[in-house]
Amino acid sequence: MQLSAHFTLAEFVVSETAARAGIDNDPPLDVVSALKRTAQGLEAVRVRLGGAPITVTSGYRCPELNAAIGGAKDSQHMRGEAADFICPRFGSPTEVATALRDSGIEYDQLIIEFGRWVHISFSAAPRRQALIIDARGTRPMWA
């Protein structure tokens, strides 16, 4: 199923952990609607990044999968509101997140996670939180 011009449902639900553990990571219909909104948000991200392809490394996670990977108990991934991604043609996760932080994109959270990927979420009331999570903990991006 195509969620937007450049993103499919399949890339939002694929998980090696789910495959290994036999976890069904198919989202319910209400979550598919949220995933469509998230995919549209990622379309805006793609435009901001000069049209460079985005690789979603983690999208939807059913509660069982979220628990299996040690995700936050209230993770927006379980609601279809978040995606972790990389965009190597544009730059490093820090370069990507900086470009997005300074954009007009209405994200809820933008997080550089361990310097390896960018987490972005979209919600009805976006907080525009820009954070870094690494071995030193969680802190604002500009700190």
Side-chain angles (χ1 to χ4, degrees), residues 55-109:
T55 301
V56 175
T57 58
S58 182
Y60 172 70
R61 297 181 201 145
C62 69
E64 185 180 359
L65 175 58
N66 193 63
I69 66 158
K73 292 186 188 316
D74 62 346
S75 174
Q76 287 177 293
H77 286 275
M78 292 188 297
R79 297 191 302 270
E81 297 175 348
D84 298 340
F85 71 95
I86 57 172
C87 186
R89 276 205 205 150
F90 183 85
S92 70
T94 299
E95 291 166 326
V96 167
T98 299
L100 298 176
R101 180 194 66 197
D102 298 336
S103 75
I105 295 172
E106 289 297 319
Y107 59 82
D108 185 48
Q109 286 189 315

Side-chain angles (χ1 to χ4, degrees), residues 7-126:
F7 300 99
T8 64
L9 179 60
E11 66 190 303
F12 273 85
V13 300
V14 68
S15 165
E16 290 180 19
T17 301
R20 277 193 302 270
I23 297 170
D24 177 2
N25 196 42
D26 289 332
L29 287 177
D30 61 322
V31 172
V32 172
S33 294
L35 286 168
K36 286 180 181 178
R37 287 189 303 277
T38 299
Q40 287 302 320
L42 284 177
E43 293 290 349
V45 166
R46 194 172 195 272
V47 168
R48 176 71 172 115
L49 301 179
I54 290 171
T55 301
V56 175
T57 58
S58 182
Y60 172 70
R61 297 181 201 145
C62 69
E64 185 180 359
L65 175 58
N66 193 63
I69 66 158
K73 292 186 188 316
D74 62 346
S75 174
Q76 287 177 293
H77 286 275
M78 292 188 297
R79 297 191 302 270
E81 297 175 348
D84 298 340
F85 71 95
I86 57 172
C87 186
R89 276 205 205 150
F90 183 85
S92 70
T94 299
E95 291 166 326
V96 167
T98 299
L100 298 176
R101 180 194 66 197
D102 298 336
S103 75
I105 295 172
E106 289 297 319
Y107 59 82
D108 185 48
Q109 286 189 315
L110 177 68
I111 307 170
I112 303 167
E113 295 196 31
F114 306 98
R116 296 180 41 217
W117 66 86
V118 176
H119 165 99
I120 194 165
S121 63
F122 300 93
S123 69

